[in-house]
Amino acid sequence: MTWRRVLKAFPTVVLVVDIVIRVVAVVLVPRNRRPSSAMAWLMAIFVAPIPGSVLFGLIGSTKLPQDRRDKQREINSLILENTQGLDSRAPTVTQPPWFGTVVQLNRTLGAMPLIPGNTATLLPDYADSVAAMTAAVDDAERYVHVEFYILTRDETTYLFFDALKRAHDRGVKVRVLYDHWATIRNPQGRVTRRWLRDAGIRFEEMLPFHPTKGMWRRPDLRNHRKIVVVDGDVAFTGSQNMIDPSYNKRGNMRRGLQWKDLMVRLDGPAAIGLNALFITDWYSETDELPTDSEAEPIVEQRTGPDTIECQVVPSGPGFDGENNLRLFNALVYGAQERLIIASPYFVPDESMLYAITTAAERGVDVQLFACEVADQFMVYHAQRSYYETLLRAGVRIFLYEKPTVLHSKHFTVDDDVAVIGSSNMDMRSFSLNFEVSLMVRGSGFVDEVRLIEDDYRSRSHELTLAAWLSRPAGLQVLDNVARLTAAVQ
């Protein structure tokens, strides 16, 4: 009799639970969440209430634990305190006229000042970039700080690792950070960890995901930054991981895929800004602040006709706002003549899509460089779902020839400003990844980036609206499904 009553009551219980889940979701899900993400989550929960609500409970929040966010605020306060007055000493040239407000935006969100007195060297060749970082490590006298999303010792990078070992053996303080999930999943990841341990080099895994050890967090919150700092005088950043350009994966090798990236070497006080970001991540993982000899203050530098102004812009789930998205949108709205974007994963939110299409519609020459070939199936199709909107607005889209994966992440605004870094223009980079962007003002630097963009254009084919509209209907459906999936965060 009891089981019969339970079975009779079961549909009623399921109905009540279903209704409660839906009501709670309507109240809870939209809080402090962008509308597109909230709508995607609500759709998932309404279609499958119990699985959808469980999934939302596991990965619905993009925030890190409170203690990590408190560490970020602590470091920000120290940076602001140690760089007081630098803003007023920075050049006050008002070209372009909107630039000062963007600098203030970055200062408010990420704490870093605009730093004059730097020189920069662009490194668009993969092997040359690894060689330049290796040479800088060999010249180190006091410390080397290394941070990469993916860090593996392989046929392309072993010379860099050997340089780290030589530096360590001669008494240089070497500290290494790498993203745990991204590196360990790579075929060479565990071998690399073992090599670092055997070499005696101090290393830490960023955002470690070890549920059995109590290290649990949303697994797709990752540290995507790429930074090398040597003695506080020289630094490298950009899009390139420390790994073979095939990423050591059989599927990539079988298809002949090779990554193409862009790194920049900085000489000058901006290197200390990147070092401050490394120290932030080291402190977050270890509760340990490096010694004063590894954490120099940023000081005023002489400026000259060949120097550039740089501002380091950190972003990620340790911050309250989406620093990189706000920076990118501000620069897009500031563009008056030309806006050129290179992003391998272009999945913008509504604000960025409106900013870019608005720029094109008000007469700005907007160009987007993306990949002809895919290495991430869903992201590739989600990106394609935006092409029709962009083309109709007048954006020119160039697809880099396969089998190269154009992995560079940068853009230029008119003839004055450039941004280069680790951040894609997608919702993952805006909300889920720790990223670093370097904003540069200097016409000479922009000219050099434009030469690289010209090279991209010569190796790409331009997509037309007519050709795009003629693609099979099945692909259109797949693109839109991927776009909806990408909105769920």
Side-chain angles (χ1 to χ4, degrees):
M1 182 66 70
T2 302
W3 282 107
R4 290 180 179 178
R5 289 180 178 177
V6 171
L7 290 174
K8 289 180 68 175
F10 184 74
T12 303
V13 172
V14 171
L15 178 61
V16 170
V17 171
D18 183 277
I19 293 173
V20 170
I21 289 175
R22 293 169 188 262
V23 172
V24 171
V26 169
V27 175
L28 184 63
V29 170
R31 290 182 180 176
N32 300 317
R33 193 179 303 275
R34 67 165 62 89
S36 59
S37 178
M39 183 62 68
W41 272 117
L42 287 173
M43 288 179 64
I45 293 171
F46 272 62
V47 169
I50 294 178
S53 59
V54 170
L55 190 64
F56 179 78
L58 291 174
I59 65 171
S61 173
T62 61
K63 296 297 183 183
L64 285 171
Q66 187 63 48
D67 64 325
R68 291 186 67 106
R69 285 182 279 156
D70 289 342
K71 287 179 180 178
Q72 183 67 65
R73 294 190 186 96
E74 181 182 348
I75 292 291
N76 284 358
S77 297
L78 288 173
I79 292 172
L80 288 169
E81 180 180 341
N82 292 333
T83 58
Q84 281 185 347
L86 284 183
D87 297 297
S88 62
R89 290 199 294 268
T92 56
V93 178
T94 57
Q95 295 297 328
W98 45 263
F99 185 75
T101 61
V102 178
V103 172
Q104 182 57 50
L105 170 71
N106 295 335
R107 182 75 150 141
T108 300
L109 296 176
M112 299 285 190
L114 178 71
I115 308 171
N118 305 281
T119 59
T121 304
L122 290 168
L123 300 165
D125 181 82
Y126 208 104
D128 289 349
S129 175
V130 174
M133 288 183 276
T134 301
V137 172
D138 274 329
D139 290 338
E141 298 178 354
R142 294 183 293 124
Y143 68 84
V144 176
H145 290 163
V146 175
E147 177 175 344
F148 283 96
Y149 176 60
I150 303 177
L151 180 81
T152 66
R153 188 175 187 271
D154 54 39
E155 291 183 358
T156 297
T157 65
Y158 75 93
L159 292 176
F160 176 79
F161 282 84
D162 290 350
L164 292 180
K165 180 66 165 59
R166 289 192 295 270
H168 171 74
D169 289 346
R170 66 176 182 269
V172 174
K173 291 183 178 179
V174 179
R175 300 177 191 266
V176 174
L177 289 170
Y178 61 80
D179 183 86
H180 169 238
W181 193 247
T183 294
I184 294 304
R185 284 190 307 158
N186 191 272
Q188 298 297 321
R190 286 179 168 79
V191 174
T192 300
R193 179 169 59 186
R194 191 179 309 119
W195 186 92
L196 289 169
R197 187 178 292 117
D198 292 344
I201 294 173
R202 180 78 186 276
F203 70 93
E204 295 290 337
E205 297 177 325
M206 297 184 291
L207 300 173
F209 182 71
H210 297 292
T212 58
K213 299 179 182 179
M215 296 179 181
W216 165 264
R217 61 174 60 88
R218 180 171 172 171
D220 57 347
L221 299 181
R222 309 297 348 141
N223 195 314
H224 196 239
R225 293 167 179 160
K226 293 92 175 169
I227 298 170
V228 175
V229 182
V230 177
D231 293 341
D233 301 316
V234 176
F236 299 81
T237 193
S239 66
Q240 185 174 323
N241 290 295
M242 186 55 67
I243 191 172
D244 184 83
S246 70
Y247 277 55
N248 299 315
K249 294 183 178 180
R250 292 181 181 177
N252 294 343
M253 297 175 189
R254 185 173 58 252
R255 299 167 62 192
L257 298 185
Q258 293 281 304
W259 267 242
K260 181 174 179 58
D261 285 279
L262 180 62
M263 295 289 281
V264 59
R265 170 181 165 141
L266 287 173
D267 292 81
I272 301 176
L274 287 168
N275 193 49
L277 192 50
F278 174 91
I279 289 171
T280 301
D281 289 336
W282 186 268
Y283 178 48
S284 295
E285 300 300 343
T286 65
D287 291 325
E288 169 193 328
L289 285 171
T291 62
D292 291 342
S293 63
E294 299 173 74
E296 306 96 331
I298 301 173
V299 297
E300 183 179 10
Q301 298 284 323
R302 293 181 180 179
T303 61
D306 297 326
T307 61
I308 55 176
E309 296 172 300
C310 301
Q311 188 172 27
V312 177
V313 184
S315 58
F319 293 89
D320 294 329
E322 296 166 323
N323 299 0
N324 48 356
L325 174 60
R326 295 174 187 270
L327 164 63
F328 297 164
N329 278 344
L331 291 176
V332 171
Y333 279 116
Q336 300 299 308
E337 298 176 358
R338 186 163 43 173
L339 174 69
I340 301 180
I341 300 168
S343 180
Y345 312 118
F346 182 82
V347 187
D349 76 336
E350 290 183 2
S351 68
M352 171 156 285
L353 184 63
Y354 271 82
I356 290 175
T357 53
T358 298
E361 288 165 345
R362 60 186 169 86
V364 176
D365 176 14
V366 181
Q367 300 177 31
L368 170 66
F369 289 97
C371 297
E372 183 180 43
V373 66
D375 73 295
Q376 295 188 25
F377 181 82
M378 293 303 290
V379 176
Y380 173 73
H381 283 282
Q383 173 172 293
R384 288 158 55 96
S385 72
Y386 293 92
Y387 286 172
E388 181 177 344
T389 300
L390 294 169
L391 290 168
R392 289 190 183 278
V395 176
R396 298 176 66 192
I397 300 176
F398 295 89
L399 301 180
Y400 199 91
E401 62 184 6
K402 58 184 179 183
T404 300
V405 176
L406 182 61
H407 193 244
S408 302
K409 311 161 198 299
H410 55 87
F411 65 98
T412 51
V413 182
D414 298 335
D415 297 322
D416 309 290
V417 180
V419 173
I420 180 173
S422 67
S423 180
N424 296 302
M425 288 192 172
D426 67 354
M427 289 177 279
R428 163 167 288 282
S429 283
F430 299 151
S431 300
L432 305 180
N433 288 346
F434 285 87
E435 306 282 6
V436 56
S437 301
L438 182 73
M439 184 176 73
V440 177
R441 176 168 66 174
S443 58
F445 183 84
V446 174
D447 288 342
E448 292 180 19
V449 178
R450 285 274 159 76
L451 292 176
I452 293 172
E453 293 167 346
D454 290 342
D455 179 68
Y456 295 166
R457 199 175 293 106
S458 69
R459 301 171 187 269
S460 306
H461 72 267
E462 185 170 359
L463 186 64
T464 66
L465 181 60
W468 186 245
L469 293 177
S470 66
R471 76 193 195 283
L475 287 178
Q476 299 178 37
V477 173
L478 179 58
D479 293 343
N480 289 328
V481 170
R483 178 175 181 172
L484 179 62
T485 303
V488 178
Q489 294 179 0

